[in-house]
Amino acid sequence: MARLKTERVWSSFRGNLRQTFHRTRGRQVLHFLHVGKTGGTAIKHALKAHRVTPGHAIVLHGHRFTLREVPKGDKAIFCLRHPISRFVSGFYSRQRQGQPRYWVPWTPDEKVIFERFETPNRLALALSSSVAEERSSAEKAMRTIAHVKDGYAKWFDSEEYLSSRTEDIFFIGFQETLAEDFDTLKSRLGLPANIALPTDEISAHRNPEHLDKKLDQQALENLKGWYAEDFRFFALSRQIRRRTSKEQVPESDLASALDEMLLPT
C-alpha cells in the first residue's frame, strides 16, 4: 500500500511538471475527465497518440479525477450520457466484470446482486416493489454496483459548482452523438481529420449489442426518480454546451436521439 501511494505521488508530481512545461510554452492545458460509461475509453484511445498540439496539451485522466482538481486557467473536456442509458451500460459492464477489455472481479455484494437481478429491467422494477425486502435489496444494489452507484456529482460536485466553472470548460460531448462530437473536438484541437474512434467493442469498452436493454415503463419512471440529480446535471451540461459552442451537433439532433432512447422497446 505504501509503495502504491508513493507511485501515485510521484506520478502526480511528474504530471504537474509536464503541465507546467507546456504552460511555459504557451500551450493551453486541457484535462479530459473520464466520467464512467460515457464514451471516455474510446476518446482516450483515439487521443492517446495526439496529446500535444502546437496550441494544446491534453491530459487524459482516470475515473478519480474531478472538475475541482482542474486548476483555474486550465480547461476541462468531458462527455456525459443520458442517465438511464448510462445505468443500463453500467449494469452490464459490471455484470461482465469489465470483460473483455478489463477484469475486475465482483465484490461479494455484487455477486449476490447479479445472482438476484439478471437484467437492468428487473433491478429497476424492484425499486418500486410492494415487497419491502425486494425494494431494499434493489436500493442496496443501486448504491453498490460500480458505475451504477456513481452519479455525476462525483465529478462535478454540484450544479452550482459546475455552473461556476463554465469558463473553464473547453468542450462537452455526449455519448449519444459521440462520433459527431469527436469530429468537432478534433477540429477545435486542430487534429488530423483521419483520427477515428475505435469501432471494436474491446477498444471502445462497449457492451455487446445482443444484451437485453428493454426497460418497462415503470422501470423508466423508477430510474427517473432515482437519478433525478443526474438528469439536472445532464440538462445543465446541454445548456452550457449551447452557450459556449456554436460548432457542435445541433441540439435538435441530440434531443431526437434522447427521445428515441427513452421509448420502451
Side-chain angles (χ1 to χ4, degrees):
M1 183 65 70
R3 180 180 176 182
L4 181 60
K5 183 177 181 180
T6 300
E7 289 176 352
R8 286 176 178 170
V9 170
W10 177 238
S11 176
S12 178
F13 173 77
R14 286 184 299 173
N16 290 334
L17 196 62
R18 284 194 296 268
Q19 293 167 37
T20 299
F21 170 82
H22 289 304
R23 293 185 191 101
T24 62
R25 295 302 187 275
R27 297 188 182 99
Q28 175 72 68
V29 176
L30 307 175
H31 297 266
F32 182 81
L33 278 60
H34 191 173
V35 180
K37 310 313 299 177
T38 63
T41 298
I43 289 181
K44 288 166 70 173
H45 184 276
L47 292 179
K48 188 174 182 180
H50 306 276
R51 286 175 283 183
V52 179
T53 73
H56 304 93
I58 307 169
V59 186
L60 303 176
H61 293 286
H63 291 306
R64 296 182 179 182
F65 192 84
T66 70
L67 184 60
R68 280 197 177 275
E69 296 174 88
V70 176
K72 292 295 180 67
D74 289 0
K75 303 284 185 181
I77 299 171
F78 58 88
C79 292
L80 295 186
R81 183 177 192 164
H82 192 280
I84 292 178
S85 173
R86 184 170 175 264
F87 159 76
V88 173
S89 179
F91 178 96
Y92 278 125
S93 178
R94 286 307 302 141
Q95 190 182 61
R96 300 193 323 273
Q97 300 179 83
Q99 297 183 80
R101 183 179 176 90
Y102 305 109
W103 169 242
V104 184
W106 288 333
T107 65
D109 283 339
E110 283 180 324
K111 184 177 186 299
V112 172
I113 288 166
F114 288 115
E115 288 174 349
R116 179 165 192 165
F117 301 109
E118 297 177 354
T119 67
N121 190 55
R122 284 195 60 186
L123 173 55
L125 284 174
L127 289 172
S128 60
S129 173
S130 59
V131 179
E133 189 274 335
E134 176 86 352
R135 190 171 62 252
S136 177
S137 294
E139 291 172 353
K140 180 179 179 180
M142 297 293 288
R143 297 189 179 99
T144 300
I145 301 172
H147 295 308
V148 169
K149 68 177 180 178
D150 295 329
Y152 289 140
K154 173 180 176 178
W155 289 274
F156 307 112
D157 191 82
S158 67
E159 297 165 69
E160 291 75 20
Y161 185 73
L162 178 57
S163 294
S164 75
R165 297 297 301 271
T166 296
E167 293 185 1
D168 297 324
I169 296 174
F170 181 81
F171 185 85
I172 300 175
F174 291 93
Q175 189 275 341
E176 290 78 13
T177 50
L178 194 63
E180 297 91 337
D181 287 356
F182 185 64
D183 284 341
T184 300
L185 178 60
K186 286 189 300 183
S187 177
R188 293 193 60 184
L189 293 171
L191 295 176
N194 62 355
I195 298 174
L197 296 171
T199 56
D200 63 290
E201 292 178 353
I202 296 177
S203 296
H205 193 33
R206 226 177 10 237
N207 281 310
E209 291 297 326
H210 69 271
L211 295 174
D212 181 6
K213 301 178 182 179
K214 177 182 179 297
L215 293 172
D216 294 342
Q217 189 61 46
Q218 185 59 59
L220 287 170
E221 294 302 323
N222 292 347
L223 291 171
K224 289 177 185 178
W226 187 271
Y227 288 115
E229 182 180 53
D230 279 9
F231 271 88
R232 293 194 297 270
F233 272 114
F234 189 79
L236 175 59
S237 296
R238 291 170 66 184
Q239 293 171 10
I240 293 173
R241 185 167 95 159
R242 284 199 298 270
R243 292 200 302 265
T244 58
S245 177
K246 298 179 181 179
E247 301 175 64
Q248 300 185 24
V249 178
E251 184 67 18
S252 58
D253 292 353
L254 177 60
S256 296
L258 298 179
D259 289 342
E260 290 177 7
M261 186 186 62
L262 281 174
L263 293 174
T265 57

